[in-house]
Amino acid sequence: MGLTVYYYSTRPLAPAEADTIRRAAEVANEGRTWLGCEPVHFFPSDPVGHLLGGSKANLQPHPDDAASAARSELPDGTTRDMLDVLCQLSRDHAIDWALSHDYNTDLGFIRAGVCDGDVLAQIEAFADLGDALGDDALGDFDLE
């Protein structure tokens, strides 16, 4: 079970700038298992040059995936971490993001590295739901 959060650059980017941001996202994604949410990644740019990406929150990971993540001893990448990466990219590359998800096409923005409060509240609610479902869903499995 999951929900996808989409992000779209508010301005078109030159191909070299888009490539730089893609590489920066890959670096920023490192060091996490990304069990709770897919890492920040981008689809092919639209014809105008906007970057569009999406990250699916994984509210109930498969027990085998959870066990593998636990063995890695890396922190989990969550929806909160995904937002942190987008905020970092916004700050470091002067890029703003329009955000949406499967049930709200006008969620809000990240501007100058700052996430709108409403966006943060909705994403945090999803993260909290995932935490609650994860505790219940994985409680019967021994992850060691």
Side-chain angles (χ1 to χ4, degrees), residues 35-94:
L35 179 66
C37 181
E38 293 175 345
V40 171
H41 69 279
F42 299 100
F43 311 129
S45 295
D46 72 11
V48 180
H50 292 269
L51 273 179
L52 170 65
S55 299
K56 183 176 182 180
N58 188 4
L59 301 179
Q60 290 184 305
H62 189 278
D64 292 343
D65 295 335
S68 176
R71 285 190 301 274
S72 77
E73 298 183 0
L74 292 173
D76 186 17
T78 65
T79 53
R80 292 177 190 108
D81 294 309
M82 177 261 307
L83 281 181
D84 287 345
V85 169
L86 290 171
C87 287
Q88 177 184 339
L89 293 172
S90 176
R91 281 190 301 276
D92 293 351
H93 300 279

Side-chain angles (χ1 to χ4, degrees), residues 4-8 98-108 123:
T4 302
V5 176
Y6 299 97
Y7 26 91
Y8 184 81
L99 291 105
S100 63
H101 62 66
D102 294 327
Y103 304 103
N104 184 346
T105 59
D106 189 24
L107 189 58
I123 298 301

Side-chain angles (χ1 to χ4, degrees), residues 120-142:
L120 188 57
Q122 281 198 42
I123 298 301
E124 295 250 339
F126 293 132
D128 292 342
L129 176 61
D131 292 344
L133 287 174
D135 291 345
D136 291 341
L138 298 177
D140 294 335
F141 295 95
D142 182 12

